[in-house]
Structure formats: structure tokens, C-alpha cells
Amino acid sequence: MASVGATLESLVDQVISVITNDGRNIVGTLRGFDQATNIILDESHERVYSTKEGVQQLVLGLYIIRGDNISVVGEVDEDLDAALDMSKLRAQPLKPVIH
């Protein structure tokens, strides 16, 4: 099984989606990380989901997420993502992760 560092290394300069322990979804370009899995995202934004209106995208810019607050990191297919109409998407907000 590959180490977390080796897996993240392959995603540097790629657009990723991070789900935090408190249920936030932050999307941005991975610029770096350290041994504690703290990550640096550039050109990032938070996607806020609602059942009543489309997805809000809050601009964050250059953003650091502490490793102990990360639940999931995933690679984003930029072509598929660009084809989504965020104004028409509806979803329940994510609940916090319970350990």
C-alpha cells in the first residue's frame, strides 16, 4: 500500500477536493503538503451545498488545511467538473465526521 505522502505527491499541481472533519468541501490546486499531512491549496473555494438552492462557491484563494482536520482527499476530473451546472445541483450538507 502506498504511503499518504507518495499518494499526495502524485497530486501536486492537480485540482483536488478535500472533505474536512466538520463536513466542508474545499476544492483547489494542491501546491504542497508536509509530514503531518497539512496541505496547501491555491485558487481554492469552498462548495456549500443546500437542498433549497444551487451550490454556493465561496472564494478562499491560497488556503492551508491542517492534516488532523482532513477526512478525504480526492482528485477532481476538471473536464467533468467544468461541465456541471452548480446552480442546478441540490444536496444535503455533509455532517461532521465522528471518530
Side-chain angles (χ1 to χ4, degrees):
M1 184 173 202
S3 72
V4 172
T7 303
L8 283 177
E9 183 67 40
S10 70
L11 296 175
V12 170
D13 295 327
Q14 303 295 316
V15 176
I16 63 169
S17 175
V18 178
I19 306 296
T20 62
N21 291 340
D22 59 359
R24 296 170 66 200
N25 180 6
I26 300 171
V27 177
T29 303
L30 179 63
R31 292 297 182 210
F33 63 93
D34 64 14
Q35 67 277 6
T37 321
N38 299 312
I39 64 172
I40 301 169
L41 295 178
D42 196 11
E43 301 174 15
S44 66
H45 59 275
E46 179 180 356
R47 292 184 176 168
V48 180
Y49 294 89
S50 166
T51 57
K52 295 184 171 96
E53 58 187 57
V55 178
Q56 290 182 325
Q57 299 196 71
L58 309 176
V59 176
L60 302 172
L62 187 64
Y63 202 72
I64 298 173
I65 305 173
R66 288 177 46 112
D68 61 1
N69 191 34
I70 296 173
S71 290
V72 179
V73 174
E75 189 173 4
V76 172
D77 181 324
E78 292 183 73
D79 294 332
L80 183 61
D81 193 60
L84 294 173
D85 183 350
M86 294 290 180
S87 69
K88 293 184 178 174
L89 289 178
R90 305 289 187 270
Q92 290 284 343
L94 294 173
K95 294 186 171 153
V97 174
I98 300 172
H99 293 283

